[in-house]
Amino acid sequence: MASEDITKLAESLAKTKVGGGQLSFKGQSLKLNTAEDAEEVIKQIEEFDGLEALRLEGNTVGVEAAKVIAKALEKKSELKRCHWSDMFTGRLRSEIPPALISLGDALITAGAQLVELDLSDNAFGPDGVRGFEALLKSPACYTLQELKLNNCGMGIGGGKILAAALKECHRKSSAQGKPLALKIFVAGRNRLENDGATALAEAFGIIGTLEEVHMPQNGINHPGITALAQAFAINSLLKVINLNDNTFTEKGAVAMAETLKSLRQIEVINFGDCLVRSKGAVAIADAVKEGLHKLKELNLSFCEIKRDAALTVAEAIEDKAELEKLDLNGNCLGEEGCEQLQEILEGFNMAAVLGSLSDDEGEEEDDEEEEEDEEEEEEEEEEEEEQQQLKERGQGEQDSLTPKKIIDSQDSTPVPSPPVDVATFLAFPSPEKLLRLGPKCSVLIAQQTDTTDVEKVVTALLRISSVFKDEAPVKTAVHETTDALMRKAFTSATFNSDAFVTRLLIHMGLLKSEEKIKTVPSLYGILMTLNHMVQQDYFPKSLAPVLTAFVTKPNRALDSCSFARHMLLQTLHQL
C-alpha cells in the first residue's frame, strides 16, 4: 500500500466512533482488498476490550481482507451486534459468500452470542445466503433477536435456504433448553415470491416469538400472503406487520384480516400498495373494529379501495385512542368521498390522523368492468393454484402446463400443447411460450423483427425481457434471444443506437415523452436483461454513460427493483 493511501486510511480511522462497547467504521468508504489494506482496522478491533457491536456499513470488504478481519474477531466472545449492511459495494457476487463464511466462522470460533445480525443492502443473491447459513445454524445465533436482510436479492432459492437455517437453529437451540426467540425480521426487496414467503412462513410458525416483520416489495401474491397470515396468528406478540407493495387481492386480505382478529399487540399495519381492494379493505376494517386497541398506524394507500369501503375503514377506527396515522391516499374515493372521509374523522375528533389524499384516483364509475377484471384475475389465480397442486402431486412439468380441456376423459395421456409462433409470443409473452418456440427461438425472433424500425426493436426487447426468470432454462432463452436480436440491430448500418436507447428509456418510464406511452409494469426483467446485454461485444460502450445516468436517478419503479438496479449499475461501472 502506498504511503499516501496509508495516511488517508489513518485519517479516516481517526474518525472511528468508539463507545458503549461499539466500534464503528460506518460510512468511511474504506476499500479493504488485501490483508495490508485491513491492518489498521484489525488493530482497532484487537485493541478494543469488551467489543459488543461492530459497524462495517458503507465500506467494501474483499475476500482476503475479510479473512484477516475474521482472525481478529475470533477472540471477541462478547460481540453481540454485527452491523454489516452495504459492505460489499463493487464486489463480484462470487466474492461475497467466501467473505461471509470467514466472518461467520470467526464468530462461531469466538463463542459469540449474537443479538443482532444486519446484512442488508448486500446484493449477494441466493448464493450469498449459503455464506452465512452455517452461522445461522450455530450456537452463535441461538440468542439472535434481530435479523435484517433487506435488499439482498435472495430470491426464492435464498428464501428457502434461509427458512431451513432458521428452523434448524430453532431445533438445535430448543434441544439446549433455550429456543431461538427471534423478535425482528426484515427482508424487503428480495423477490421472495410465493414459494420463498411460504417457506419463511413455516419457519415463523415454528419460532412463534416475532414482534416485527418487514417484507415489502417481494412479489408475494395471495398464496404466500395466506401462508404468512397463518404463521402470524401463531406469533401473538406481533406489533408491526409491513408487507407494503405485495399483491394481496381479496383472498389474501381476508386471510390476513382473520389473523389480525387474534393479534392483540399490533401497533403498525402497512399494507400500502397491496391491492387489497374494497372487499379486502372491509374485511380488514372489521378486524380493526373488533380489537387492535394499541393500533398506531394503518396504511391502506394505493390499494384500489372505493369510497364506501374507505368510509368503512374510517368508521372502524372510532375508538382507537392510540392511532397516530391513517393512510388512504391513492385510492378511488373521488372529491365527495374525500370530504365524507374527513367529516367522519372530524366527528370522532380524529381529523389529525388522516394522511394526505392528494393522489386520490377519483371515484370509478365502471363497476361492472372492474368486477369482470377481478373475476378474470381470480380465475387466473385458481388456474395457477391447480397447476401448483399438480406439480406437488409429482406429475411432470409438462402435465401441469397442459390445459384440462384438452385432456381426453378416456385417455390419461395429455394432448400436446398447440404450437406457438413468434407473433403469438410477442403478443402475449410468457416463459412457457418462449421455451415452446424451441431451440431456434432466438433466430426466429431476430429474423421476424424489422431491425430498421427502432420502435419495433424496443418493443420486441421489452416483450422478451418481460418473461425473464432466474431459472436456468428461461434465463438462457431470454439471453440468447436478446443477443440474436440486438446483435442484428446494432451491427446494422442503418440502426440508430441513440434513438434506440431514448425510446427504451421512455418505455421504461425513465424519460418523459410528449407522446402518451404505456410504460412497462415492472422493470425487473429489462434491468436484468440489460445487465447481460451491456457485457456483450455487440453493445456500443458509448451508451453506457447514458444508461448509468438514468438508472442512477431517483425513481419509484427503479426503487422497487433495487437488486436488479444495483446489479446493472455495478456492471456499468466496471465497463
Side-chain angles (χ1 to χ4, degrees):
M1 183 184 286
S3 59
E4 58 267 25
D5 292 333
I6 295 173
T7 302
K8 186 177 179 181
L9 179 59
E11 289 173 355
S12 181
L13 290 172
K15 301 173 186 175
T16 299
K17 295 177 182 177
V18 177
Q22 174 176 284
L23 177 60
S24 175
F25 302 96
K26 182 178 179 180
Q28 295 185 19
S29 301
L30 302 175
K31 294 181 180 179
L32 308 178
N33 298 316
T34 65
E36 187 181 3
D37 294 340
E39 282 179 0
E40 288 294 329
V41 174
I42 294 165
K43 183 181 178 184
Q44 295 269 1
I45 292 172
E46 289 177 340
E47 293 178 354
F48 196 110
D49 292 329
L51 180 63
E52 294 184 6
L54 177 61
R55 307 195 77 104
L56 292 172
E57 312 105 305
N59 299 291
T60 179
V61 181
V63 176
E64 190 180 337
K67 285 181 180 178
V68 292
I69 291 172
K71 195 70 179 173
L73 290 176
E74 288 181 358
K75 298 176 183 177
K76 301 299 175 181
S77 61
E78 296 177 17
L79 188 62
K80 292 180 173 62
R81 298 184 182 274
C82 297
H83 302 279
W84 294 350
S85 64
D86 188 24
M87 62 179 242
F88 296 110
T89 304
R91 300 289 170 187
L92 296 174
R93 275 176 63 175
S94 59
E95 292 181 83
I96 301 176
L100 287 173
I101 289 171
S102 296
L103 293 168
D105 287 349
L107 298 177
I108 297 170
T109 301
Q113 294 185 316
L114 295 185
V115 173
E116 180 179 0
L117 176 61
D118 186 355
L119 291 170
S120 299
D121 300 316
N122 290 311
F124 46 58
D127 293 341
V129 185
R130 294 285 188 199
F132 60 94
E133 180 185 18
L135 173 63
L136 279 181
K137 293 178 179 179
S138 76
C141 284
Y142 290 177
T143 50
L144 196 63
Q145 295 180 15
E146 301 179 30
L147 179 58
K148 300 173 182 178
L149 299 166
N150 203 52
N151 190 30
C152 291
M154 291 190 290
I156 294 171
K160 289 182 176 180
I161 296 168
L162 175 62
L166 288 172
K167 288 191 289 185
E168 181 70 1
C169 180
H170 186 272
R171 185 187 68 78
K172 288 182 174 179
S173 57
S174 296
Q176 297 291 323
K178 293 182 178 180
L180 172 67
L182 193 65
K183 293 181 179 180
I184 298 173
F185 180 83
V186 182
R189 298 181 180 180
N190 272 291
R191 294 193 66 80
L192 295 168
E193 301 183 17
N194 289 331
D195 289 350
T198 301
L200 285 167
E202 186 178 338
F204 296 162
I206 292 170
I207 294 169
T209 55
L210 289 166
E211 295 180 11
E212 295 185 22
V213 175
H214 302 263
M215 296 174 66
Q217 296 182 6
N218 269 298
I220 308 170
N221 299 326
H222 79 81
I225 296 298
T226 300
L228 287 171
Q230 293 168 349
F232 291 166
I234 299 169
N235 288 263
S236 59
L237 299 176
L238 266 173
K239 296 178 182 178
V240 178
I241 302 177
N242 176 7
L243 294 173
N244 189 286
D245 201 6
N246 289 292
T247 307
F248 281 44
T249 64
E250 182 187 344
K251 288 183 180 178
V254 169
M256 194 60 71
E258 282 301 309
T259 286
L260 290 175
K261 291 177 182 179
S262 66
L263 299 175
R264 295 286 175 257
Q265 306 300 321
I266 288 291
E267 296 178 3
V268 177
I269 297 172
N270 186 345
F271 297 159
D273 209 6
C274 281
L275 204 67
V276 303
R277 293 205 175 108
S278 295
K279 292 178 182 177
V282 169
I284 291 170
D286 288 344
V288 172
K289 191 171 186 177
E290 286 185 23
L292 306 188
H293 296 294
K294 295 183 179 182
L295 188 63
K296 294 180 179 179
E297 181 178 334
L298 175 59
N299 184 347
L300 293 174
S301 61
F302 299 94
C303 281
E304 294 190 7
I305 301 169
K306 294 184 181 178
R307 179 181 62 181
D308 290 347
L311 298 182
T312 301
V313 172
E315 290 167 353
I317 67 167
E318 180 179 3
D319 62 344
K320 306 304 172 220
E322 301 292 321
L323 194 71
E324 298 171 1
K325 183 177 181 181
L326 172 63
D327 193 345
L328 288 168
N329 198 16
N331 287 300
C332 310
L333 282 67
E335 188 175 343
E336 184 179 342
C338 289
E339 291 175 359
Q340 289 176 323
L341 181 65
Q342 289 166 334
E343 287 173 6
I344 289 173
L345 293 173
E346 284 172 3
F348 301 154
N349 199 25
M350 296 178 72
V353 305
L354 183 63
S356 170
L357 297 173
S358 60
D359 292 319
D360 186 75
E361 296 287 343
E363 193 165 10
E364 293 184 1
E365 296 178 1
D366 198 351
D367 291 349
E368 290 184 9
E369 185 177 328
E370 183 179 327
E371 286 176 7
E372 287 176 7
D373 289 342
E374 289 183 21
E375 286 173 6
E376 285 178 10
E377 284 185 18
E378 287 174 5
E379 286 173 7
E380 288 174 5
E381 288 172 354
E382 287 171 5
E383 286 178 12
E384 287 176 8
E385 286 178 14
E386 288 171 4
Q387 290 178 2
Q388 184 63 32
Q389 287 169 1
L390 285 171
K391 290 179 188 177
E392 290 171 357
R393 289 176 193 148
Q395 308 206 11
E397 178 75 16
Q398 185 60 47
D399 288 354
S400 71
L401 295 174
T402 305
K404 288 185 176 182
K405 292 180 182 177
I406 63 172
I407 298 179
D408 191 297
S409 59
Q410 303 300 317
D411 186 358
S412 61
T413 305
V415 177
S417 300
V420 174
D421 57 23
V422 171
T424 302
F425 167 72
L426 291 176
F428 305 101
S430 72
E432 292 76 19
K433 288 192 183 99
L434 182 61
L435 295 176
R436 278 164 55 195
L437 279 172
K440 293 185 178 180
C441 64
S442 58
V443 177
L444 291 171
I445 291 176
Q447 285 177 344
Q448 296 183 39
T449 302
D450 180 6
T451 51
T452 63
D453 188 329
V454 167
E455 189 66 23
K456 287 181 180 176
V457 174
V458 169
T459 301
L461 177 62
L462 290 171
R463 296 293 172 84
I464 295 164
S465 63
S466 70
V467 306
F468 178 90
K469 283 187 174 183
D470 287 318
E471 299 167 6
V474 177
K475 183 178 181 180
T476 301
V478 169
H479 286 173
E480 290 179 350
T481 308
T482 298
D483 289 342
L485 173 66
M486 299 313 303
R487 188 181 298 277
K488 179 186 174 185
F490 283 128
T491 54
S492 169
T494 58
F495 188 70
N496 189 329
S497 299
D498 292 334
F500 163 77
V501 78
T502 299
R503 298 302 299 174
L504 179 61
L505 290 168
I506 289 171
H507 280 276
M508 290 173 70
L510 306 182
L511 183 62
K512 290 184 179 179
S513 170
E514 293 181 2
E515 304 171 63
K516 196 169 185 180
I517 290 177
K518 187 176 181 181
T519 58
V520 292
S522 171
L523 294 181
Y524 182 77
I526 184 60
L527 290 172
M528 293 300 284
T529 303
L530 283 170
N531 184 52
H532 166 80
M533 200 171 100
V534 300
Q535 299 177 63
Q536 309 311 308
D537 57 4
Y538 60 74
F539 181 78
K541 298 299 183 277
S542 60
L543 299 182
V546 180
L547 283 177
T548 301
F550 281 92
V551 177
T552 305
K553 286 184 177 180
N555 181 283
R556 186 178 178 187
L558 286 171
D559 289 343
S560 66
C561 302
S562 54
F563 170 69
R565 178 193 207 174
H566 175 84
M567 291 293 292
L568 176 56
L569 286 174
Q570 185 170 276
T571 301
L572 287 168
H573 286 309
Q574 292 172 354
L575 291 178

